[in-house]
Amino acid sequence: MDFIEGEVVCFNKPLDWTSFDLVNKFRNRLSQKLHVKKLKVGHAGTLDPKATGVMILCTGSATKRIDIFQGQTKEYVATLMLGATTPSFDLEKEIDATYPTSHITYETVENVLKTFVGRIEQIPPAFSACKIDGKRAYKLAREGRETALKAKVLVIDEIELLEYRLPVIKIRVVCSKGTYIRALARDIGESLASGAHLIALERTRVGDVTLDKCLTVGEFDSFLV
Protein backbone atom coordinates (compact mmCIF):
# COMPACT_ATOMS: atom_id res chain seq x y z
CA MET A 1 0.00 0.00 0.00
CA ASP A 2 1.27 3.46 -0.87
CA PHE A 3 0.26 5.67 2.06
CA ILE A 4 2.29 8.62 0.83
CA GLU A 5 0.51 8.63 -2.53
CA GLY A 6 -2.85 7.97 -0.93
CA GLU A 7 -4.80 5.20 0.80
CA VAL A 8 -8.12 4.78 2.65
CA VAL A 9 -8.08 2.95 5.99
CA CYS A 10 -11.10 2.28 8.22
CA PHE A 11 -10.90 2.03 12.00
CA ASN A 12 -13.20 1.34 14.92
CA LYS A 13 -12.62 4.45 17.06
CA PRO A 14 -12.15 3.57 20.74
CA LEU A 15 -14.21 5.07 23.56
CA ASP A 16 -12.88 8.35 25.00
CA TRP A 17 -10.59 8.99 22.02
CA THR A 18 -11.27 12.15 20.05
CA SER A 19 -11.32 11.89 16.26
CA PHE A 20 -8.06 13.85 16.25
CA ASP A 21 -6.53 11.34 18.68
CA LEU A 22 -7.10 8.55 16.17
CA VAL A 23 -5.77 10.59 13.24
CA ASN A 24 -2.76 11.81 15.20
CA LYS A 25 -1.77 8.39 16.56
CA PHE A 26 -2.15 6.74 13.17
CA ARG A 27 -0.19 9.51 11.45
CA ASN A 28 2.64 9.30 14.00
CA ARG A 29 2.85 5.51 13.81
CA LEU A 30 2.72 5.56 10.02
CA SER A 31 5.35 8.31 9.77
CA GLN A 32 7.69 6.28 11.98
CA LYS A 33 7.14 3.19 9.85
CA LEU A 34 7.73 5.05 6.58
CA HIS A 35 10.56 7.19 7.99
CA VAL A 36 8.95 10.44 6.88
CA LYS A 37 8.50 13.65 8.85
CA LYS A 38 5.30 14.84 7.20
CA LEU A 39 2.33 12.81 6.09
CA LYS A 40 -1.10 14.08 5.11
CA VAL A 41 -3.86 12.27 7.03
CA GLY A 42 -7.49 13.29 7.51
CA HIS A 43 -10.76 11.73 8.64
CA ALA A 44 -14.18 11.64 7.01
CA GLY A 45 -16.61 12.55 9.77
CA THR A 46 -16.08 13.45 13.42
CA LEU A 47 -17.12 11.12 16.23
CA ASP A 48 -17.57 12.43 19.77
CA PRO A 49 -15.15 11.14 22.43
CA LYS A 50 -18.02 9.20 24.05
CA ALA A 51 -18.84 7.49 20.74
CA THR A 52 -17.20 4.50 19.11
CA GLY A 53 -17.36 2.96 15.67
CA VAL A 54 -16.57 3.48 12.02
CA MET A 55 -14.04 6.18 11.17
CA ILE A 56 -12.59 6.48 7.70
CA LEU A 57 -9.04 7.83 7.49
CA CYS A 58 -7.48 9.02 4.24
CA THR A 59 -3.83 9.65 3.48
CA GLY A 60 -2.05 11.60 0.75
CA SER A 61 -4.13 12.38 -2.33
CA ALA A 62 -6.94 10.15 -1.00
CA THR A 63 -7.86 13.03 1.32
CA LYS A 64 -9.59 14.49 -1.75
CA ARG A 65 -12.23 11.78 -1.26
CA ILE A 66 -13.12 12.92 2.26
CA ASP A 67 -16.09 15.01 1.09
CA ILE A 68 -17.47 12.00 -0.76
CA PHE A 69 -17.28 9.80 2.34
CA GLN A 70 -18.76 12.54 4.53
CA GLY A 71 -21.77 12.81 2.26
CA GLN A 72 -22.64 9.13 2.51
CA THR A 73 -25.47 7.72 4.61
CA LYS A 74 -24.53 6.74 8.15
CA GLU A 75 -25.95 4.21 10.60
CA TYR A 76 -25.75 4.41 14.39
CA VAL A 77 -26.84 2.34 17.36
CA ALA A 78 -27.64 4.69 20.23
CA THR A 79 -28.52 3.94 23.85
CA LEU A 80 -30.61 6.62 25.56
CA MET A 81 -31.33 7.18 29.23
CA LEU A 82 -34.80 8.66 29.58
CA GLY A 83 -35.83 10.79 32.53
CA ALA A 84 -32.58 12.76 32.81
CA THR A 85 -30.71 15.42 30.82
CA THR A 86 -27.15 16.68 30.68
CA PRO A 87 -25.80 19.94 29.16
CA SER A 88 -23.84 17.98 26.56
CA PHE A 89 -26.70 15.52 25.84
CA ASP A 90 -24.33 12.65 26.65
CA LEU A 91 -22.04 11.46 29.47
CA GLU A 92 -19.46 14.22 29.00
CA LYS A 93 -21.37 16.36 31.53
CA GLU A 94 -23.20 15.47 34.73
CA ILE A 95 -27.00 15.16 34.93
CA ASP A 96 -28.56 18.60 35.42
CA ALA A 97 -32.27 17.68 35.62
CA THR A 98 -34.51 14.64 36.12
CA TYR A 99 -38.08 13.93 34.98
CA PRO A 100 -40.73 11.22 35.47
CA THR A 101 -40.90 8.28 33.05
CA SER A 102 -43.89 6.37 34.46
CA HIS A 103 -46.11 7.67 31.65
CA ILE A 104 -43.92 6.14 28.92
CA THR A 105 -44.86 2.86 27.24
CA TYR A 106 -43.30 0.80 24.45
CA GLU A 107 -46.01 2.03 22.10
CA THR A 108 -45.38 5.66 23.13
CA VAL A 109 -41.71 5.36 22.25
CA GLU A 110 -42.42 3.71 18.90
CA ASN A 111 -44.95 6.39 17.97
CA VAL A 112 -42.56 9.20 18.91
CA LEU A 113 -39.70 7.67 16.93
CA LYS A 114 -41.87 7.60 13.81
CA THR A 115 -42.24 11.39 13.96
CA PHE A 116 -38.51 11.81 13.37
CA VAL A 117 -38.37 9.81 10.14
CA GLY A 118 -38.01 11.93 7.02
CA ARG A 119 -36.84 15.48 6.43
CA ILE A 120 -36.51 17.29 9.77
CA GLU A 121 -34.91 20.40 11.28
CA GLN A 122 -32.41 19.92 14.07
CA ILE A 123 -30.61 22.44 16.27
CA PRO A 124 -27.02 21.20 16.81
CA PRO A 125 -25.78 20.70 20.39
CA ALA A 126 -23.95 23.57 22.09
CA PHE A 127 -21.15 21.05 22.65
CA SER A 128 -20.47 20.52 18.95
CA ALA A 129 -17.87 21.39 16.32
CA CYS A 130 -20.18 23.93 14.66
CA LYS A 131 -18.61 27.35 14.26
CA ILE A 132 -19.98 30.59 15.70
CA ASP A 133 -18.12 33.70 14.51
CA GLY A 134 -15.16 31.48 13.64
CA LYS A 135 -15.02 29.69 16.99
CA ARG A 136 -16.06 26.10 17.73
CA ALA A 137 -19.32 25.91 19.66
CA TYR A 138 -17.94 23.38 22.13
CA LYS A 139 -15.12 25.74 23.11
CA LEU A 140 -17.61 28.51 23.84
CA ALA A 141 -19.85 26.10 25.76
CA ARG A 142 -16.96 24.85 27.88
CA GLU A 143 -16.16 28.46 28.72
CA GLY A 144 -19.71 28.83 30.00
CA ARG A 145 -20.75 31.18 27.19
CA GLU A 146 -24.22 30.88 25.68
CA THR A 147 -24.42 29.85 22.05
CA ALA A 148 -27.22 30.38 19.54
CA LEU A 149 -27.01 27.72 16.84
CA LYS A 150 -29.35 27.72 13.86
CA ALA A 151 -31.48 24.71 12.96
CA LYS A 152 -30.23 22.57 10.09
CA VAL A 153 -32.28 20.48 7.68
CA LEU A 154 -31.36 16.79 7.57
CA VAL A 155 -32.89 13.45 6.69
CA ILE A 156 -33.57 10.49 8.95
CA ASP A 157 -34.11 7.44 6.73
CA GLU A 158 -34.86 4.91 9.44
CA ILE A 159 -35.31 4.68 13.22
CA GLU A 160 -35.80 1.28 14.81
CA LEU A 161 -36.44 0.54 18.48
CA LEU A 162 -34.02 -2.27 19.33
CA GLU A 163 -34.47 -2.48 23.10
CA TYR A 164 -36.95 -1.13 25.64
CA ARG A 165 -35.85 -1.39 29.28
CA LEU A 166 -37.26 1.74 30.85
CA PRO A 167 -35.64 4.15 31.59
CA VAL A 168 -33.17 2.89 28.94
CA ILE A 169 -33.94 2.44 25.26
CA LYS A 170 -31.68 1.43 22.38
CA ILE A 171 -32.34 2.59 18.83
CA ARG A 172 -30.85 2.14 15.37
CA VAL A 173 -30.69 5.28 13.24
CA VAL A 174 -29.93 5.60 9.52
CA CYS A 175 -29.39 9.23 8.61
CA SER A 176 -27.81 11.85 6.39
CA LYS A 177 -24.66 13.88 6.81
CA GLY A 178 -24.81 16.46 9.59
CA THR A 179 -27.07 14.53 11.94
CA TYR A 180 -26.21 14.89 15.62
CA ILE A 181 -27.42 11.78 17.44
CA ARG A 182 -26.98 13.60 20.77
CA ALA A 183 -29.40 16.26 19.55
CA LEU A 184 -31.76 13.54 18.34
CA ALA A 185 -31.68 12.05 21.85
CA ARG A 186 -32.51 15.48 23.28
CA ASP A 187 -35.44 15.89 20.89
CA ILE A 188 -36.77 12.38 21.52
CA GLY A 189 -36.64 13.08 25.26
CA GLU A 190 -38.55 16.32 24.81
CA SER A 191 -41.19 14.59 22.67
CA LEU A 192 -41.61 11.96 25.39
CA ALA A 193 -41.90 14.70 28.05
CA SER A 194 -39.17 12.97 30.00
CA GLY A 195 -35.84 14.39 28.87
CA ALA A 196 -33.08 12.08 27.62
CA HIS A 197 -29.36 11.83 27.05
CA LEU A 198 -27.01 9.40 25.31
CA ILE A 199 -25.22 6.83 27.45
CA ALA A 200 -23.67 4.96 24.50
CA LEU A 201 -23.24 5.57 20.79
CA GLU A 202 -21.70 3.43 18.07
CA ARG A 203 -21.43 4.33 14.40
CA THR A 204 -21.99 1.01 12.67
CA ARG A 205 -21.81 2.07 9.04
CA VAL A 206 -20.64 4.84 6.70
CA GLY A 207 -21.81 4.19 3.14
CA ASP A 208 -20.73 0.59 2.45
CA VAL A 209 -18.14 0.54 5.24
CA THR A 210 -19.36 -1.51 8.19
CA LEU A 211 -17.74 -2.29 11.53
CA ASP A 212 -16.61 -5.74 10.42
CA LYS A 213 -14.44 -4.05 7.78
CA CYS A 214 -12.71 -1.82 10.33
CA LEU A 215 -9.38 -2.28 12.09
CA THR A 216 -8.88 -1.78 15.80
CA VAL A 217 -6.13 0.50 17.08
CA GLY A 218 -4.41 -2.63 18.38
CA GLU A 219 -3.98 -3.70 14.77
CA PHE A 220 -1.93 -0.61 13.81
CA ASP A 221 1.37 -2.47 13.83
CA SER A 222 0.22 -5.69 12.16
CA PHE A 223 -1.51 -3.64 9.45
CA LEU A 224 1.62 -1.61 8.77
CA VAL A 225 3.96 -4.58 8.49
Side-chain angles (χ1 to χ4, degrees), residues 111-123:
N111 288 334
V112 163
L113 293 182
K114 290 175 184 177
T115 66
F116 288 94
V117 177
R119 190 178 178 90
I120 66 170
E121 287 191 350
Q122 182 186 80
I123 299 175

Side-chain angles (χ1 to χ4, degrees), residues 145-188:
R145 297 166 63 181
E146 291 189 8
T147 57
L149 294 168
K150 296 180 180 179
K152 295 184 178 181
V153 176
L154 51 91
V155 177
I156 304 290
D157 295 309
E158 300 175 44
I159 299 185
E160 178 186 4
L161 181 57
L162 300 177
E163 291 182 20
Y164 173 84
R165 295 178 289 108
L166 210 63
V168 175
I169 63 172
K170 181 180 287 189
I171 61 176
R172 182 181 67 88
V173 182
V174 179
C175 56
S176 67
K177 171 186 176 181
T179 304
Y180 284 93
I181 305 300
R182 284 182 293 131
L184 181 62
R186 170 202 63 198
D187 296 341
I188 290 171

Side-chain angles (χ1 to χ4, degrees), residues 65-80:
R65 299 171 61 187
I66 284 177
D67 285 345
I68 296 174
F69 289 125
Q70 285 181 328
Q72 293 178 333
T73 299
K74 298 171 179 64
E75 179 185 72
Y76 297 87
V77 171
T79 306
L80 284 63

Side-chain angles (χ1 to χ4, degrees), residues 138-149:
Y138 66 79
K139 290 186 177 180
L140 298 175
R142 286 169 183 154
E143 292 171 0
R145 297 166 63 181
E146 291 189 8
T147 57
L149 294 168

Side-chain angles (χ1 to χ4, degrees), residues 7-9 40-44 56-60 62-63 65-66 69:
E7 296 288 350
V8 176
V9 188
K40 193 174 184 180
V41 180
H43 69 78
I56 299 175
L57 272 55
C58 300
T59 75
T63 55
R65 299 171 61 187
I66 284 177
F69 289 125

Side-chain angles (χ1 to χ4, degrees), residues 188-206:
I188 290 171
E190 289 180 356
S191 294
L192 288 169
S194 69
H197 66 282
L198 281 181
I199 58 173
L201 179 64
E202 182 176 56
R203 185 156 67 196
T204 51
R205 180 170 64 85
V206 175

